[in-house]
Amino acid sequence: MSGLYIHIPFCSKKCYYCDFYSLASRKSKKAYLEALSKEWEQRKTETEWGVGQGIKTIYIGGGTPSSLDKEEVKYLFDQILKDKTPFHPDLREMEITFEANPENLSYEYLDFLRKQTPINRLSIGIQSFSENDLRAIGRSHSSLQASTSVRLAQELGFENISIDLIFSLPSMSSLDWKTNLLKAIELKVQHISAYCLSLEKGTILNTLVDRKKISLPSENIVEEQFLIAKDLLEANKFEHYEISSYALEGFRSQHNSLYWQNKPYIGLGASAHSFNLSKRRWNIANQSLYIEKINQGQPIFEEEILSPKDIYNEYILSATRIKEGISISHIMENFPKETISHFLLQAEKLLKDNLIVPCGESYLLTTKGILLSNQVALGLFI
């Protein structure tokens, strides 16, 4: 199984924390969508990137895909799906995710998405149900719009809804965070992505912190809020299947799981990445150049061939994020003796530090290990 990612970079404005490639503009949307269509025509037969395996997931992300109007969304699907050969034979069995912001999800727009497109999974960027938090990170929607968008989607028949929430926001107390989670549970969504705020260079938020205009919670508070999410969501039947991801039974994100399980995927659009198990490719992160080069038939990407060391380290990085943990048999079957010896030696140290525990043919991260997952991964890297 492989997946298709499509990047839509347009936004109404740039959120303070965001370092994804996005544009606070909706200009050139038509030209960009036409370029996407051309890129897909060029790449849909590239079996080396996983297309030949039968694409079973489509993920439209951004940016803000819901900044596209109805005609633009229709055009996008018409172009991508006009040749169904690369896809799973039954579109109804595919997971097709569309990222959206609450302020875009009117009844009319949701009704269109539900009835006139193949979208069967919504990922709604709520981030917080608190007005103070939303203002602090530069979001455009209100708390009321956040909850209303979910209820409207449910009313119109969407049965697979994921929402994004962020903890460790400026001035967010642990009680505030728990209140956010309880609201999400009350809304009966199927999937919750609970992310720790990441301070990235070049973002507005990073500048505000550097200038001491705002401060972020301490490491102890961050740890406390992570554990609040884990305990509360698991108590409400959400499976904690990846460090930031919680799902009711049967509602894991199939597309994102491709990334964590090192399965192949192809990415379309400016800044999109592709992976085929031995090679990575990333498109130019510039909309104007992307359009220009596509139209001129010039290369739009860079790529690297992964060394055995890269492949091992990438496996470790992914495995330390997921519930299934690190497969000992996978290490034994896929890497040379020196790598296996290194892994076993470092794993022994992590066992003594109570960061991992053996479970059948795998090592699983303990709660302490999950909190220090980057440290665990670094400890196992070559």
Side-chain angles (χ1 to χ4, degrees):
M1 183 180 81
S2 59
L4 173 65
Y5 174 81
I6 302 171
H7 191 73
I8 306 297
F10 308 104
C11 291
S12 59
K13 67 175 185 177
K14 191 82 171 175
C15 295
Y16 297 167
Y17 58 90
C18 180
D19 74 328
F20 291 111
Y21 177 65
S22 60
L23 302 165
S25 168
R26 300 185 186 185
K27 294 180 179 179
S28 304
K29 284 198 293 182
K30 180 180 179 183
Y32 182 78
L33 292 174
E34 289 172 348
L36 275 177
S37 176
K38 289 178 182 177
E39 185 187 2
W40 179 235
E41 282 299 311
Q42 295 167 8
R43 304 194 61 191
K44 66 182 182 181
T45 58
E46 290 181 353
T47 54
E48 65 169 313
W49 292 98
V51 176
Q53 299 189 24
I55 290 172
K56 201 173 179 182
T57 67
I58 299 175
Y59 194 105
I60 302 173
T64 311
S66 58
S67 65
L68 300 179
D69 63 31
K70 290 184 289 184
E71 289 303 313
E72 289 161 343
V73 174
K74 185 177 185 304
Y75 173 84
L76 176 62
F77 278 109
D78 285 347
Q79 297 303 305
I80 298 300
L81 297 176
K82 64 183 176 183
D83 177 4
K84 296 185 174 58
T85 306
F87 299 96
H88 187 276
D90 189 346
L91 288 181
R92 293 171 298 180
E93 292 188 17
M94 293 178 60
E95 178 192 83
I96 303 178
T97 303
F98 187 78
E99 284 188 352
N101 282 348
E103 66 270 22
N104 302 134
L105 295 181
S106 65
Y107 184 96
E108 181 185 23
Y109 192 76
L110 281 164
D111 188 54
F112 160 76
L113 295 181
R114 180 75 180 98
K115 295 178 180 176
Q116 299 185 49
T117 78
I119 294 164
N120 54 26
R121 183 175 186 269
L122 290 178
S123 178
I124 305 177
I126 287 174
Q127 317 310 352
S128 177
F129 292 101
S130 161
E131 298 291 355
N132 288 337
D133 290 342
L134 294 170
R135 285 195 295 270
I137 57 176
R139 297 295 285 175
S140 298
H141 65 272
S142 67
S143 175
L144 178 60
Q145 285 176 313
S147 55
T148 299
S149 65
V150 174
R151 291 193 176 103
L152 281 176
Q154 292 167 333
E155 180 183 334
L156 286 162
F158 281 99
E159 298 177 344
N160 191 351
I161 299 174
S162 176
I163 65 171
D164 291 351
L165 296 174
I166 302 178
F167 63 93
S168 78
L169 292 174
S171 304
M172 174 184 272
S173 69
S174 292
L175 178 59
D176 295 333
W177 175 232
K178 185 175 182 180
T179 300
N180 268 304
L181 293 167
L182 289 170
K183 182 67 175 178
I185 293 166
E186 177 191 331
L187 285 170
K188 300 185 186 305
V189 295
Q190 288 74 33
H191 189 282
I192 297 171
S193 295
Y195 299 108
C196 178
L197 178 68
S198 178
L199 200 59
E200 304 291 346
K201 290 183 179 180
T203 63
I204 296 172
L205 190 63
N206 187 70
T207 300
L208 292 172
V209 171
D210 282 349
R211 294 178 180 175
K212 303 189 185 304
K213 299 289 185 181
I214 60 171
S215 59
L216 299 180
S218 67
E219 286 188 16
N220 287 340
I221 296 296
V222 171
E223 180 178 317
E224 180 182 351
Q225 291 180 2
F226 174 85
L227 293 174
I228 286 171
K230 181 175 174 62
D231 293 344
L232 184 58
L233 292 175
E234 287 183 338
N236 283 273
K237 300 184 179 180
F238 282 85
E239 177 192 21
H240 187 200
Y241 72 99
E242 187 270 340
I243 283 182
S244 301
S245 305
Y246 300 82
L248 297 179
E249 185 177 358
F251 288 96
R252 287 188 180 194
S253 169
Q254 295 176 32
H255 184 86
N256 289 340
S257 292
L258 294 174
Y259 303 151
W260 304 319
Q261 295 169 5
N262 290 300
K263 299 287 180 65
Y265 55 87
I266 187 167
L268 304 180
S271 81
H273 284 232
S274 302
F275 173 65
N276 75 341
L277 309 183
S278 63
K279 190 188 301 183
R280 288 200 180 275
R281 172 186 288 188
W282 54 97
N283 286 354
I284 187 169
N286 181 302
Q287 176 203 267
S288 298
L289 278 178
Y290 169 80
I291 294 170
E292 179 183 326
K293 288 179 177 294
I294 283 283
N295 289 334
Q296 294 177 356
Q298 297 178 356
I300 57 165
F301 60 86
E302 294 181 60
E303 63 182 25
E304 67 170 331
I305 297 173
L306 300 176
S307 67
K309 174 183 174 180
D310 293 330
I311 294 170
Y312 167 80
N313 286 345
E314 291 205 2
Y315 171 73
I316 292 296
L317 185 62
S318 298
T320 52
R321 294 191 62 88
I322 59 175
K323 180 180 179 180
E324 290 73 18
I326 307 159
S327 169
I328 300 169
S329 59
H330 179 85
I331 299 288
M332 298 295 187
E333 293 168 7
N334 290 280
F335 298 104
K337 289 181 179 179
E338 314 85 73
T339 301
I340 294 169
S341 297
H342 167 85
F343 169 76
L344 293 174
L345 177 63
Q346 298 307 312
E348 191 64 31
K349 296 177 183 178
L350 296 172
L351 283 164
K352 289 178 181 177
D353 290 337
N354 192 36
L355 295 173
I356 60 173
V357 291
C359 181
E361 289 296 310
S362 299
Y363 285 128
L364 307 184
L365 272 67
T366 62
T367 299
K368 178 183 176 184
I370 293 172
L371 290 166
L372 298 171
S373 61
N374 287 340
Q375 181 178 318
V376 173
L378 286 171
L380 292 169
F381 280 177
I382 295 176

